[in-house]
């Protein structure tokens, strides 16, 4: 096996599956999951990914077309802070650590899929789905979530913006300043 998840992601091309055995993995951020790669943990209570010291306000994962992530616990991001002048406007907030974002160079035709995982933070954001990252007309700018539980004290769960699209099924958020929010044409389909 490889010594770190970051190293594995830098040295794999899809289609492929990376199996991550139980344990706590402290990683340099950000990490990019290449197209058509699956990350499979050894249980969302037993396989923990966290940032190395100094990286708690970075993006943990940039995801690409056809990515699947399942059975992990993510923790340790911070940095989200509401504006004193506009406390009800997420667009005016300070953004720090984000667990999942679309890779800005990706053309998404098969939505990245995050499932059966949990994220914990004080001031982190679970996912930012930004549909306005590139102008390629084939880009759907979309992500799918199933049973992705998020516990973010003074943070945010799902932020869909700039015509991004999301499907959020059986997901729960706790203690967030914003649980599910869409801005600038973002679309949320939730159940």
């Amino acid at each position: 096996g490889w010594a770190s998840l970051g190293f594995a992601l830098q040295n794999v091309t899809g289609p492929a599956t990376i199996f991550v055995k139980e344990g706590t993995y402290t990683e340099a951020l950000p990490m990019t999951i290449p197209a058509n790669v699956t990350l499979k943990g050894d249980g969302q209570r037993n396989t923990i990914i966290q940032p190395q010291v100094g990286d708690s306000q970075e993006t943990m994962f940039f995801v690409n077309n056809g990515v699947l992530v399942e059975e992990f616990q993510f923790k340790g991001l911070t940095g989200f802070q509401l504006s004193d002048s506009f406390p009800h406007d997420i667009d005016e907030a300070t953004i720090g650590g984000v667990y999942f974002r679309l890779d800005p160079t990706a053309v998404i035709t098969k939505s990245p899929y995050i499932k059966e995982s949990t994220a914990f933070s004080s001031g982190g954001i679970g996912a930012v789905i930004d549909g306005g990252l590139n102008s390629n007309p084939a880009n759907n700018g979309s992500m799918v979530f199933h049973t992705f539980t998020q516990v973010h004290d003074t943070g945010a769960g799902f932020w869909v913006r700039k015509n991004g699209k999301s499907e959020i099924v059986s997901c729960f958020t706790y203690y967030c300043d914003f649980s599910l929010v869409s801005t600038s044409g973002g679309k949320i389909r939730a159940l």
Side-chain angles (χ1 to χ4, degrees):
W2 286 324
S4 75
L5 178 56
F7 182 83
L9 291 171
Q10 291 170 4
N11 289 282
V12 69
T13 56
T17 300
I18 298 172
F19 293 96
V20 183
K21 296 309 271 175
E22 69 179 52
T24 299
Y25 298 83
T26 302
E27 299 287 338
L29 304 183
M31 294 182 280
T32 299
I33 305 174
N36 301 308
V37 168
T38 294
L39 289 185
K40 180 138 176 62
D42 212 8
Q44 63 181 301
R45 293 178 188 231
N46 306 323
T47 313
I48 301 165
I49 309 294
Q50 64 187 13
Q52 71 180 10
V53 173
D55 284 355
S56 67
Q57 294 190 21
E58 300 289 335
T59 294
M60 186 170 279
F61 293 107
F62 286 104
V63 294
N64 279 276
N65 196 59
V67 162
L68 173 64
V69 177
E70 63 180 325
E71 294 192 31
F72 285 94
Q73 180 185 130
F74 308 104
K75 68 179 190 175
L77 298 184
T78 189
F80 180 81
Q81 186 165 349
L82 295 174
S83 163
D84 289 337
S85 300
F86 302 97
H88 301 292
D89 187 350
I90 195 169
D91 284 314
E92 297 295 327
T94 300
I95 306 303
V98 177
Y99 289 96
F100 292 97
R101 286 183 187 240
L102 295 171
D103 183 333
T105 65
V107 175
I108 303 298
T109 58
K110 184 176 183 182
S111 300
Y113 188 0
I114 314 304
K115 65 185 265 193
E116 297 173 17
S117 294
T118 305
F120 294 93
S121 78
S122 289
I125 298 179
V128 175
I129 304 95
D130 189 338
L133 293 175
N134 64 57
S135 59
N136 188 314
N139 185 32
N140 290 331
S142 59
M143 290 179 76
V144 175
F145 305 90
H146 182 261
T147 58
F148 181 35
T149 299
Q150 300 192 56
V151 182
H152 302 301
D153 182 30
T154 66
F158 302 93
W159 182 12
V160 187
R161 66 184 195 169
K162 297 182 182 174
N163 297 316
K165 299 172 194 73
S166 66
E167 184 166 303
I168 303 169
V169 178
S170 296
C171 294
F172 302 91
T173 60
Y174 299 93
Y175 313 116
C176 297
D177 284 343
F178 291 92
S179 290
L180 288 89
V181 62
S182 66
T183 60
S184 303
K187 294 176 181 62
I188 297 173
R189 179 178 172 193
L191 178 64

